[in-house]
Amino acid sequence: MSNEFIPYGRQSITAADVEAVCEALTSDFLTQGPLVGQFERAIAKLSQCKYAVAANSATSALHVACLALDVGPGDSVWTTPNTFIASANCALYCGASVDFVDIDPQTYNLCPVRLAEKLAEAEASGCLPKVVIPVHFGGHPCDMRALYELAQTYGFSIIEDASHAIGAKYKGTPVGQRYSDICIFSFHPVKVMTSAEGGMAITQHEHLAERMRTLVHQGVTKNKLELETTSPGDWYYEQQVLGFNYRMTELQAALGLSQLERLSHFIERRRALVQRYYQLLSGLPIQLPGEADYGFSSWHLFPIVLNEVLAEQRASIFKYLRDHQIGTQVHYIPVHTQPFYQQRGFNWGMYPVAEDYYQRTLSLPLYPDLTDEQQVRVVETLQQAIDQAIIL
Ligand SMILES: *Cc1c(COP(=O)(O)O)cnc(C)c1O
């Protein structure tokens, strides 16, 4: 068997993708042409949402989503510690503060029960969050109905960070369709589908879509209807707020559109590989990620959790796998333990479930082009890694 490096995730690029990008490259527009709008409409349709706004990354989309919901100084935004740092940083970009809610030990998503407890405490001390950002970790949807009911009770908004979860469903409907104000996707190459860099915000609310669209375009509007009374001619545009250049390019949209045609195949293949992992890994002293009855996962990640004995050897198991060309990874170092967040008053011990999970987890390779043979190599190498860890 060959011994090439197997990463934990990677993009799947075909000749059709290459052709689509080359066609965009030789068209009249490299940016702000027809493809970005086409990509937005396609993602909106897939998500059964009225509006979609493309951005140059999910990080940018999270930033403008927070701004569209009026997040600013004096506000608090809550998210999960088990996420990529961008889910928290977006609040700080707006001058707001960040706080975290511990995770559920089964799904590793933000725990609705912990959220309810924390909200009750926050109400008593008068510091309720303005926005809560649940993350569909690994592609597995959060229990959105429970979060939505809490949002109704306590009056906060919800931004779903669905960076891992395009194509995932909650109770049969696409994520972002119903239980939040705004939902964000990432098209970074390791995610479920890619536009190289790229992100998208979807919403059912016209005013939020308009605000986000203005913010990704330097705060400028050229909307003819809006400018009807002020416009002296066709050259005219107006800056109405302070915005950013967060635009997606035509090349990115061309790749995204081409990838979107294969999204259901990507997810089918991921799901088939997960079923194979369940068979191949049964009997090992590890907890495997599951799917709740309300969720259809897009399976961005396959995070295993080592039992308590093995967890002490996590670093050596990681190293053994890497030394044997298996690109395992750890998702995620709890955000609140980053030095930057520790400087802001957070510390180890504050979110014990996320911290315990972090100490014991490893993500196994999972991506559409992973072959059955490569997957067997992953499992055999993991078995060896565990054997040597037990001897240590
Ligand atoms: C990847 C990721 C992001 C950021 O996405 P970019 O497109 O790289 O900006 C945000 N949140 C989560 C959970 C992610 O995994």
Side-chain angles (χ1 to χ4, degrees), residues 79-80 82-83 87 107-110 133-145 147 158-166 168-170 173-177 179-180 182-185 192 294 296-301 332:
T79 188
T80 165
N82 184 33
T83 186
S87 316
T107 61
Y108 321 129
N109 279 332
L110 187 148
I133 307 183
V135 177
H136 305 307
F137 174 71
H140 189 288
C142 296
D143 188 354
M144 290 308 299
R145 181 79 215 230
L147 301 182
I158 297 179
I159 301 172
E160 285 171 77
D161 184 345
S163 289
H164 301 177
I166 192 156
K169 294 189 178 111
Y170 174 71
T173 58
V175 293
Q177 190 261 349
Y179 296 107
S180 61
I182 299 170
C183 174
I184 303 296
F185 298 117
V192 178
Y294 54 74
F296 175 91
S297 178
S298 53
W299 287 107
H300 163 52
L301 296 174
Y332 284 99

Short mmCIF file of all heavy atoms in Angstrom, two decimals, residues 79-80 82-83 87 107-110 133-145 147 158-166 168-170 173-177 179-180 182-185 192 294 296-301 332:
data_model
loop_
_atom_site.label_atom_id
_atom_site.label_comp_id
_atom_site.label_asym_id
_atom_site.label_seq_id
_atom_site.Cartn_x
_atom_site.Cartn_y
_atom_site.Cartn_z
N THR A 79 -21.11 32.39 22.37
CA THR A 79 -20.92 31.29 21.42
C THR A 79 -20.38 30.08 22.17
O THR A 79 -20.29 30.07 23.40
CB THR A 79 -20.02 31.72 20.24
OG1 THR A 79 -20.01 30.68 19.25
CG2 THR A 79 -18.58 31.99 20.67
N THR A 80 -20.01 29.06 21.43
CA THR A 80 -19.47 27.84 22.02
C THR A 80 -17.95 27.91 22.07
O THR A 80 -17.34 28.48 21.17
CB THR A 80 -19.91 26.62 21.17
OG1 THR A 80 -19.12 25.48 21.53
CG2 THR A 80 -19.68 26.87 19.68
N ASN A 82 -16.15 25.31 21.68
CA ASN A 82 -15.67 24.28 20.77
C ASN A 82 -15.90 24.72 19.33
O ASN A 82 -16.77 24.21 18.62
CB ASN A 82 -16.39 22.96 21.04
CG ASN A 82 -15.85 21.83 20.18
OD1 ASN A 82 -14.65 21.80 19.86
ND2 ASN A 82 -16.72 20.92 19.78
N THR A 83 -15.10 25.69 18.89
CA THR A 83 -15.25 26.22 17.55
C THR A 83 -13.95 26.86 17.10
O THR A 83 -13.02 27.03 17.89
CB THR A 83 -16.40 27.26 17.48
OG1 THR A 83 -16.60 27.64 16.11
CG2 THR A 83 -16.09 28.50 18.29
N SER A 87 -15.68 32.40 15.20
CA SER A 87 -17.04 32.49 15.74
C SER A 87 -17.12 33.46 16.91
O SER A 87 -18.19 34.00 17.20
CB SER A 87 -17.54 31.12 16.24
OG SER A 87 -17.24 30.10 15.35
N THR A 107 -23.15 15.67 21.34
CA THR A 107 -23.03 16.29 20.01
C THR A 107 -21.83 17.22 19.91
O THR A 107 -21.45 17.62 18.81
CB THR A 107 -24.29 17.11 19.67
OG1 THR A 107 -24.41 18.16 20.64
CG2 THR A 107 -25.54 16.26 19.69
N TYR A 108 -21.29 17.63 21.07
CA TYR A 108 -20.17 18.60 21.15
C TYR A 108 -20.60 19.99 20.67
O TYR A 108 -19.77 20.86 20.43
CB TYR A 108 -18.93 18.12 20.38
CG TYR A 108 -18.68 16.63 20.52
CD1 TYR A 108 -18.47 15.82 19.39
CD2 TYR A 108 -18.67 16.01 21.77
CE1 TYR A 108 -18.27 14.44 19.52
CE2 TYR A 108 -18.47 14.65 21.90
CZ TYR A 108 -18.27 13.87 20.76
OH TYR A 108 -18.07 12.52 20.89
N ASN A 109 -21.91 20.19 20.52
CA ASN A 109 -22.47 21.50 20.17
C ASN A 109 -22.84 22.26 21.43
O ASN A 109 -23.01 21.66 22.51
CB ASN A 109 -23.75 21.31 19.35
CG ASN A 109 -23.48 21.02 17.88
OD1 ASN A 109 -22.46 21.45 17.34
ND2 ASN A 109 -24.38 20.31 17.24
N LEU A 110 -23.02 23.57 21.29
CA LEU A 110 -23.49 24.42 22.37
C LEU A 110 -24.72 23.78 23.03
O LEU A 110 -25.66 23.40 22.34
CB LEU A 110 -23.83 25.80 21.80
CG LEU A 110 -24.20 26.92 22.76
CD1 LEU A 110 -23.74 28.26 22.19
CD2 LEU A 110 -25.68 26.95 23.03
N ILE A 133 -24.39 32.75 19.00
CA ILE A 133 -23.88 32.13 17.76
C ILE A 133 -23.62 30.64 18.00
O ILE A 133 -22.55 30.25 18.42
CB ILE A 133 -22.59 32.82 17.28
CG1 ILE A 133 -22.79 34.34 17.17
CG2 ILE A 133 -22.13 32.22 15.94
CD1 ILE A 133 -21.58 35.11 16.64
N PRO A 134 -24.64 29.79 17.76
CA PRO A 134 -24.39 28.35 17.83
C PRO A 134 -23.62 27.91 16.58
O PRO A 134 -23.75 28.52 15.51
CB PRO A 134 -25.80 27.75 17.83
CG PRO A 134 -26.65 28.76 17.16
CD PRO A 134 -26.02 30.11 17.39
N VAL A 135 -22.81 26.88 16.74
CA VAL A 135 -21.98 26.36 15.64
C VAL A 135 -22.38 24.91 15.39
O VAL A 135 -22.42 24.11 16.34
CB VAL A 135 -20.48 26.44 16.00
CG1 VAL A 135 -19.62 25.84 14.89
CG2 VAL A 135 -20.07 27.88 16.29
N HIS A 136 -22.70 24.58 14.17
CA HIS A 136 -23.05 23.18 13.85
C HIS A 136 -21.74 22.40 13.72
O HIS A 136 -21.24 22.16 12.61
CB HIS A 136 -23.88 23.11 12.57
CG HIS A 136 -25.11 23.96 12.62
ND1 HIS A 136 -26.04 23.88 13.64
CD2 HIS A 136 -25.58 24.92 11.79
CE1 HIS A 136 -27.02 24.74 13.42
NE2 HIS A 136 -26.76 25.39 12.30
N PHE A 137 -21.22 21.99 14.87
CA PHE A 137 -19.88 21.42 14.91
C PHE A 137 -19.78 20.14 14.10
O PHE A 137 -20.57 19.20 14.29
CB PHE A 137 -19.46 21.16 16.37
CG PHE A 137 -18.16 20.46 16.48
CD1 PHE A 137 -16.98 21.12 16.17
CD2 PHE A 137 -18.08 19.13 16.87
CE1 PHE A 137 -15.76 20.48 16.25
CE2 PHE A 137 -16.87 18.48 16.95
CZ PHE A 137 -15.70 19.15 16.64
N GLY A 138 -18.78 20.11 13.21
CA GLY A 138 -18.54 18.93 12.39
C GLY A 138 -19.63 18.69 11.34
O GLY A 138 -19.58 17.68 10.65
N GLY A 139 -20.59 19.61 11.24
CA GLY A 139 -21.69 19.43 10.29
C GLY A 139 -22.97 18.94 10.94
O GLY A 139 -24.00 18.84 10.28
N HIS A 140 -22.87 18.64 12.25
CA HIS A 140 -24.06 18.15 12.96
C HIS A 140 -24.88 19.33 13.48
O HIS A 140 -24.38 20.12 14.27
CB HIS A 140 -23.65 17.25 14.13
CG HIS A 140 -24.83 16.55 14.75
ND1 HIS A 140 -25.76 17.22 15.52
CD2 HIS A 140 -25.25 15.27 14.68
CE1 HIS A 140 -26.70 16.36 15.91
NE2 HIS A 140 -26.41 15.17 15.41
N PRO A 141 -26.15 19.44 13.05
CA PRO A 141 -26.92 20.62 13.46
C PRO A 141 -27.15 20.67 14.97
O PRO A 141 -27.33 19.65 15.62
CB PRO A 141 -28.25 20.46 12.72
CG PRO A 141 -28.30 19.07 12.26
CD PRO A 141 -26.90 18.55 12.16
N CYS A 142 -27.14 21.90 15.49
CA CYS A 142 -27.52 22.13 16.89
C CYS A 142 -29.02 21.88 17.02
O CYS A 142 -29.75 21.88 16.03
CB CYS A 142 -27.24 23.58 17.27
SG CYS A 142 -25.49 24.01 17.23
N ASP A 143 -29.46 21.73 18.27
CA ASP A 143 -30.89 21.58 18.52
C ASP A 143 -31.54 22.97 18.41
O ASP A 143 -31.76 23.66 19.40
CB ASP A 143 -31.13 20.96 19.90
CG ASP A 143 -32.60 20.62 20.10
OD1 ASP A 143 -33.42 20.95 19.23
OD2 ASP A 143 -32.92 20.02 21.15
N MET A 144 -31.81 23.37 17.18
CA MET A 144 -32.19 24.77 16.90
C MET A 144 -33.53 25.16 17.49
O MET A 144 -33.74 26.30 17.88
CB MET A 144 -32.20 25.02 15.38
CG MET A 144 -30.82 25.03 14.74
SD MET A 144 -29.65 26.15 15.57
CE MET A 144 -30.46 27.73 15.38
N ARG A 145 -34.44 24.23 17.57
CA ARG A 145 -35.77 24.54 18.13
C ARG A 145 -35.63 24.99 19.59
O ARG A 145 -36.21 25.98 20.01
CB ARG A 145 -36.62 23.27 18.03
CG ARG A 145 -38.03 23.38 18.52
CD ARG A 145 -38.88 24.03 17.49
NE ARG A 145 -39.87 24.84 18.18
CZ ARG A 145 -41.18 24.79 17.93
NH1 ARG A 145 -41.62 24.03 16.98
NH2 ARG A 145 -42.00 25.54 18.62
N LEU A 147 -32.96 26.28 20.98
CA LEU A 147 -32.28 27.58 21.02
C LEU A 147 -33.25 28.69 20.62
O LEU A 147 -33.27 29.78 21.20
CB LEU A 147 -31.06 27.57 20.08
CG LEU A 147 -29.99 26.52 20.38
CD1 LEU A 147 -28.82 26.66 19.40
CD2 LEU A 147 -29.48 26.61 21.81
N ILE A 158 -30.18 35.13 16.81
CA ILE A 158 -29.33 33.96 16.58
C ILE A 158 -28.64 34.08 15.22
O ILE A 158 -29.30 34.34 14.20
CB ILE A 158 -30.14 32.64 16.61
CG1 ILE A 158 -30.77 32.43 18.00
CG2 ILE A 158 -29.26 31.45 16.24
CD1 ILE A 158 -31.62 31.16 18.11
N ILE A 159 -27.33 33.93 15.22
CA ILE A 159 -26.57 33.73 13.98
C ILE A 159 -26.08 32.29 14.01
O ILE A 159 -25.30 31.92 14.89
CB ILE A 159 -25.36 34.68 13.86
CG1 ILE A 159 -25.80 36.15 13.90
CG2 ILE A 159 -24.58 34.39 12.57
CD1 ILE A 159 -24.62 37.14 13.99
N GLU A 160 -26.52 31.48 13.08
CA GLU A 160 -26.00 30.11 13.00
C GLU A 160 -24.65 30.16 12.29
O GLU A 160 -24.57 30.63 11.16
CB GLU A 160 -26.93 29.22 12.17
CG GLU A 160 -28.19 28.81 12.86
CD GLU A 160 -29.15 28.11 11.88
OE1 GLU A 160 -28.91 26.94 11.56
OE2 GLU A 160 -30.13 28.76 11.46
N ASP A 161 -23.59 29.68 12.94
CA ASP A 161 -22.33 29.49 12.23
C ASP A 161 -22.37 28.09 11.64
O ASP A 161 -22.06 27.09 12.30
CB ASP A 161 -21.14 29.68 13.17
CG ASP A 161 -19.80 29.58 12.43
OD1 ASP A 161 -19.80 29.08 11.28
OD2 ASP A 161 -18.77 29.97 13.01
N ALA A 162 -22.80 28.03 10.37
CA ALA A 162 -22.92 26.75 9.66
C ALA A 162 -21.73 26.57 8.73
O ALA A 162 -21.86 25.98 7.65
CB ALA A 162 -24.24 26.70 8.89
N SER A 163 -20.56 27.05 9.18
CA SER A 163 -19.35 26.91 8.36
C SER A 163 -19.07 25.46 7.99
O SER A 163 -18.47 25.18 6.96
CB SER A 163 -18.15 27.47 9.12
OG SER A 163 -18.24 28.87 9.19
N HIS A 164 -19.50 24.51 8.86
CA HIS A 164 -19.26 23.09 8.61
C HIS A 164 -20.46 22.41 7.97
O HIS A 164 -20.41 21.21 7.73
CB HIS A 164 -19.02 22.35 9.93
CG HIS A 164 -17.87 22.85 10.74
ND1 HIS A 164 -17.56 22.35 11.98
CD2 HIS A 164 -16.96 23.81 10.49
CE1 HIS A 164 -16.50 22.98 12.47
NE2 HIS A 164 -16.13 23.88 11.59
N ALA A 165 -21.54 23.16 7.77
CA ALA A 165 -22.84 22.47 7.68
C ALA A 165 -23.67 22.78 6.45
O ALA A 165 -24.89 22.62 6.48
CB ALA A 165 -23.64 22.76 8.94
N ILE A 166 -23.02 23.21 5.36
CA ILE A 166 -23.87 23.37 4.17
C ILE A 166 -24.39 21.99 3.76
O ILE A 166 -23.64 21.00 3.77
CB ILE A 166 -23.15 24.10 3.01
CG1 ILE A 166 -24.20 24.49 1.97
CG2 ILE A 166 -22.02 23.25 2.40
CD1 ILE A 166 -23.79 25.65 1.12
N ALA A 168 -26.53 20.32 5.51
CA ALA A 168 -27.07 19.65 6.70
C ALA A 168 -28.53 20.07 6.91
O ALA A 168 -28.96 21.13 6.44
CB ALA A 168 -26.25 20.02 7.93
N LYS A 169 -29.27 19.20 7.60
CA LYS A 169 -30.68 19.50 7.84
C LYS A 169 -31.01 19.35 9.32
O LYS A 169 -30.47 18.48 10.00
CB LYS A 169 -31.56 18.53 7.04
CG LYS A 169 -31.43 18.72 5.55
CD LYS A 169 -32.48 17.91 4.81
CE LYS A 169 -32.38 18.15 3.32
NZ LYS A 169 -31.89 16.97 2.62
N TYR A 170 -31.93 20.22 9.76
CA TYR A 170 -32.47 20.11 11.12
C TYR A 170 -33.95 19.79 10.98
O TYR A 170 -34.70 20.55 10.36
CB TYR A 170 -32.27 21.43 11.88
CG TYR A 170 -32.94 21.43 13.23
CD1 TYR A 170 -32.42 20.65 14.26
CD2 TYR A 170 -34.09 22.15 13.46
CE1 TYR A 170 -33.04 20.61 15.50
CE2 TYR A 170 -34.71 22.13 14.70
CZ TYR A 170 -34.18 21.35 15.71
OH TYR A 170 -34.81 21.31 16.93
N THR A 173 -35.41 20.21 7.50
CA THR A 173 -35.26 21.44 6.72
C THR A 173 -33.81 21.89 6.73
O THR A 173 -33.08 21.67 7.71
CB THR A 173 -36.15 22.59 7.25
OG1 THR A 173 -35.81 22.82 8.61
CG2 THR A 173 -37.62 22.27 7.13
N PRO A 174 -33.37 22.54 5.64
CA PRO A 174 -31.96 22.95 5.55
C PRO A 174 -31.59 23.89 6.71
O PRO A 174 -32.42 24.71 7.10
CB PRO A 174 -31.88 23.71 4.22
CG PRO A 174 -33.10 23.35 3.46
CD PRO A 174 -34.14 22.94 4.45
N VAL A 175 -30.38 23.75 7.23
CA VAL A 175 -29.95 24.67 8.30
C VAL A 175 -30.08 26.10 7.80
O VAL A 175 -29.86 26.39 6.62
CB VAL A 175 -28.50 24.40 8.78
CG1 VAL A 175 -28.38 23.05 9.47
CG2 VAL A 175 -27.50 24.52 7.64
N GLY A 176 -30.49 26.99 8.69
CA GLY A 176 -30.60 28.40 8.35
C GLY A 176 -31.96 28.80 7.82
O GLY A 176 -32.26 29.97 7.64
N GLN A 177 -32.82 27.82 7.57
CA GLN A 177 -34.08 28.11 6.90
C GLN A 177 -35.09 28.73 7.86
O GLN A 177 -35.93 29.52 7.46
CB GLN A 177 -34.63 26.81 6.27
CG GLN A 177 -35.81 27.00 5.36
CD GLN A 177 -37.12 26.71 6.07
OE1 GLN A 177 -37.16 26.16 7.17
NE2 GLN A 177 -38.22 27.08 5.42
N TYR A 179 -34.84 28.77 12.08
CA TYR A 179 -34.74 29.04 13.51
C TYR A 179 -33.68 30.07 13.89
O TYR A 179 -33.20 30.07 15.01
CB TYR A 179 -34.49 27.73 14.28
CG TYR A 179 -35.65 26.76 14.17
CD1 TYR A 179 -35.56 25.62 13.38
CD2 TYR A 179 -36.84 27.02 14.85
CE1 TYR A 179 -36.62 24.74 13.28
CE2 TYR A 179 -37.91 26.14 14.75
CZ TYR A 179 -37.79 25.01 13.96
OH TYR A 179 -38.85 24.14 13.86
N SER A 180 -33.30 30.91 12.94
CA SER A 180 -32.28 31.92 13.26
C SER A 180 -32.56 33.17 12.44
O SER A 180 -33.41 33.18 11.55
CB SER A 180 -30.89 31.39 12.93
OG SER A 180 -30.80 31.10 11.54
N ILE A 182 -29.85 34.93 10.93
CA ILE A 182 -28.88 34.86 9.84
C ILE A 182 -28.11 33.55 10.00
O ILE A 182 -27.90 33.08 11.12
CB ILE A 182 -27.87 36.05 9.91
CG1 ILE A 182 -28.61 37.40 9.77
CG2 ILE A 182 -26.79 35.93 8.84
CD1 ILE A 182 -27.74 38.62 10.07
N CYS A 183 -27.70 32.97 8.89
CA CYS A 183 -26.90 31.73 8.92
C CYS A 183 -25.72 31.90 7.98
O CYS A 183 -25.86 32.47 6.89
CB CYS A 183 -27.79 30.56 8.49
SG CYS A 183 -26.93 28.99 8.31
N ILE A 184 -24.55 31.44 8.42
CA ILE A 184 -23.30 31.66 7.69
C ILE A 184 -22.71 30.34 7.19
O ILE A 184 -22.66 29.37 7.93
CB ILE A 184 -22.24 32.28 8.65
CG1 ILE A 184 -22.76 33.57 9.29
CG2 ILE A 184 -20.90 32.49 7.96
CD1 ILE A 184 -23.01 34.68 8.33
N PHE A 185 -22.24 30.34 5.95
CA PHE A 185 -21.50 29.19 5.42
C PHE A 185 -20.07 29.59 5.10
O PHE A 185 -19.81 30.74 4.74
CB PHE A 185 -22.14 28.67 4.13
CG PHE A 185 -23.55 28.19 4.29
CD1 PHE A 185 -24.59 28.82 3.63
CD2 PHE A 185 -23.83 27.11 5.11
CE1 PHE A 185 -25.90 28.39 3.78
CE2 PHE A 185 -25.15 26.66 5.27
CZ PHE A 185 -26.18 27.31 4.60
N VAL A 192 -17.05 21.59 3.50
CA VAL A 192 -17.81 20.60 2.73
C VAL A 192 -17.74 20.85 1.22
O VAL A 192 -17.68 19.92 0.43
CB VAL A 192 -19.27 20.56 3.23
CG1 VAL A 192 -20.11 19.57 2.42
CG2 VAL A 192 -19.30 20.16 4.71
N TYR A 294 -32.91 14.43 15.41
CA TYR A 294 -33.38 15.63 14.72
C TYR A 294 -32.40 16.10 13.63
O TYR A 294 -32.67 17.08 12.94
CB TYR A 294 -33.61 16.77 15.72
CG TYR A 294 -32.40 17.09 16.61
CD1 TYR A 294 -31.30 17.76 16.09
CD2 TYR A 294 -32.38 16.71 17.95
CE1 TYR A 294 -30.20 18.04 16.88
CE2 TYR A 294 -31.29 16.99 18.75
CZ TYR A 294 -30.20 17.66 18.21
OH TYR A 294 -29.11 17.92 18.99
N PHE A 296 -29.53 15.79 10.35
CA PHE A 296 -28.90 15.15 9.19
C PHE A 296 -27.59 15.90 9.01
O PHE A 296 -27.59 17.09 8.69
CB PHE A 296 -29.79 15.30 7.95
CG PHE A 296 -29.18 14.79 6.67
CD1 PHE A 296 -29.35 13.47 6.26
CD2 PHE A 296 -28.42 15.64 5.86
CE1 PHE A 296 -28.80 13.01 5.06
CE2 PHE A 296 -27.85 15.18 4.67
CZ PHE A 296 -28.04 13.86 4.28
N SER A 297 -26.46 15.23 9.29
CA SER A 297 -25.16 15.90 9.31
C SER A 297 -24.53 15.93 7.92
O SER A 297 -24.69 15.00 7.14
CB SER A 297 -24.22 15.18 10.28
OG SER A 297 -22.95 15.79 10.27
N SER A 298 -23.81 17.01 7.65
CA SER A 298 -23.03 17.08 6.41
C SER A 298 -21.65 16.45 6.61
O SER A 298 -20.86 16.38 5.68
CB SER A 298 -22.89 18.54 5.96
OG SER A 298 -22.38 19.31 7.02
N TRP A 299 -21.36 16.03 7.84
CA TRP A 299 -20.13 15.30 8.16
C TRP A 299 -18.86 15.97 7.63
O TRP A 299 -18.08 15.37 6.90
CB TRP A 299 -20.20 13.84 7.67
CG TRP A 299 -21.11 13.02 8.53
CD1 TRP A 299 -22.36 12.57 8.21
CD2 TRP A 299 -20.87 12.55 9.88
NE1 TRP A 299 -22.92 11.87 9.26
CE2 TRP A 299 -22.02 11.84 10.29
CE3 TRP A 299 -19.80 12.67 10.78
CZ2 TRP A 299 -22.12 11.25 11.55
CZ3 TRP A 299 -19.90 12.09 12.03
CH2 TRP A 299 -21.05 11.38 12.39
N HIS A 300 -18.68 17.23 8.04
CA HIS A 300 -17.41 17.91 7.76
C HIS A 300 -16.25 17.23 8.48
O HIS A 300 -15.17 17.08 7.92
CB HIS A 300 -17.52 19.38 8.17
CG HIS A 300 -16.23 20.10 8.30
ND1 HIS A 300 -15.27 20.10 7.30
CD2 HIS A 300 -15.70 20.82 9.32
CE1 HIS A 300 -14.22 20.81 7.70
NE2 HIS A 300 -14.45 21.25 8.91
N LEU A 301 -16.50 16.81 9.72
CA LEU A 301 -15.43 16.21 10.53
C LEU A 301 -15.87 14.86 11.07
O LEU A 301 -17.06 14.59 11.22
CB LEU A 301 -15.12 17.11 11.74
CG LEU A 301 -14.56 18.51 11.46
CD1 LEU A 301 -14.46 19.30 12.77
CD2 LEU A 301 -13.19 18.42 10.79
N TYR A 332 -11.72 21.24 18.75
CA TYR A 332 -10.91 22.44 18.67
C TYR A 332 -10.24 22.69 20.01
O TYR A 332 -10.79 22.28 21.05
CB TYR A 332 -11.80 23.66 18.38
CG TYR A 332 -12.26 23.75 16.94
CD1 TYR A 332 -13.52 23.31 16.58
CD2 TYR A 332 -11.43 24.29 15.96
CE1 TYR A 332 -13.96 23.42 15.26
CE2 TYR A 332 -11.87 24.40 14.65
CZ TYR A 332 -13.11 23.96 14.30
OH TYR A 332 -13.55 24.05 13.01
#
